[in-house]
Amino acid sequence: MSVISCSAIILAGGVGARISSTDIPKQYIDICGRPLISYVLDTVISDPVITTVVIVCADSYKDLVSGCCGAAMRDSGRHGVEIKYAAPGFNRQMSVLNGLLKLENSIGDGDLVAVIDAARPCMTRQMLDACIEAADEADGAIPVLKMRDTVYMSEDGRHLTDLLERSKVLAGQAPEVFRFGKYLAANKKLTQAQMDHIHGSSEPAIMDGMKIVMIPGDENNYKITTDADLRRFRTDCEMRQEM
């Protein structure tokens, strides 16, 4: 892989409002004896391409996250990974920008940065490396899944108003990897009103004309969003432990 350097921003500042089974953010829920975020940290820190990891999290969880990082370094044998912290923003994309600003004076414009959800515990190193490699030939890369079902639109939330062309509709996953300098500039251009309406990390890049390529996603690379997702991952972990 010809990448000069790749840093990672792990978004762990959300509150997980759609998880009703716990009173703590989903990324810190104990799953099979360890916090959910630790699964992503293991994958990222064990990857030799990653040199710096910025974790966007509340101050009250820094000690927990630091312990997970230490365990990941010990388990992988990688002790040279730099760990930084950034404060969560008022929304997801502001948290991304806060993470980018932590890297502004330490990496080059031509280097790459991966934006990763803390609540996507099944992301593999193979997926991360594939996304990094694809981004190195463009301005960025994102894994996507093709839609299997018929896709409709509804203007009022009650009635169907249009049918979309399924072959042109894709579901984005993470990691999302970007050329650092261009992506930082694209985020700095956003107004607060625009920030409020950003739902995916690649959106500012697309708005700014960056060339974002797609790689095949993975159905197992799901994000923990609902109680059902949490139960699914817990069951998966318990089954692996029993094998």
Side-chain angles (χ1 to χ4, degrees), residues 1 17 28 30 43 55 59 62 68 70-71 81 84 86 116 118 121 153 172 175 184 199 208 226 235:
M1 193 180 296
Y28 305 117
D30 185 281
T43 300
I55 301 158
D59 285 343
K62 278 186 181 179
C68 293
V81 183
K84 298 184 177 185
I116 303 167
M153 278 191 65
L184 176 61
H199 297 293
D208 205 45
T226 65
T235 299

Side-chain angles (χ1 to χ4, degrees), residues 176-227:
E176 295 167 81
V177 181
F178 307 100
R179 192 70 61 186
F180 178 75
K182 289 185 177 181
Y183 189 58
L184 176 61
N187 277 271
K188 283 184 174 181
K189 292 177 185 177
L190 295 173
T191 64
Q192 182 169 334
Q194 288 174 318
M195 278 276 189
D196 288 340
H197 291 91
I198 297 292
H199 297 293
S201 299
S202 290
E203 194 171 344
I206 295 167
M207 291 167 62
D208 205 45
M210 291 174 62
K211 180 183 176 183
I212 307 300
V213 298
M214 304 180 298
I215 66 169
D218 182 352
E219 294 282 358
N220 291 321
N221 183 26
Y222 57 92
K223 185 179 179 182
I224 307 296
T225 303
T226 65
D227 290 333

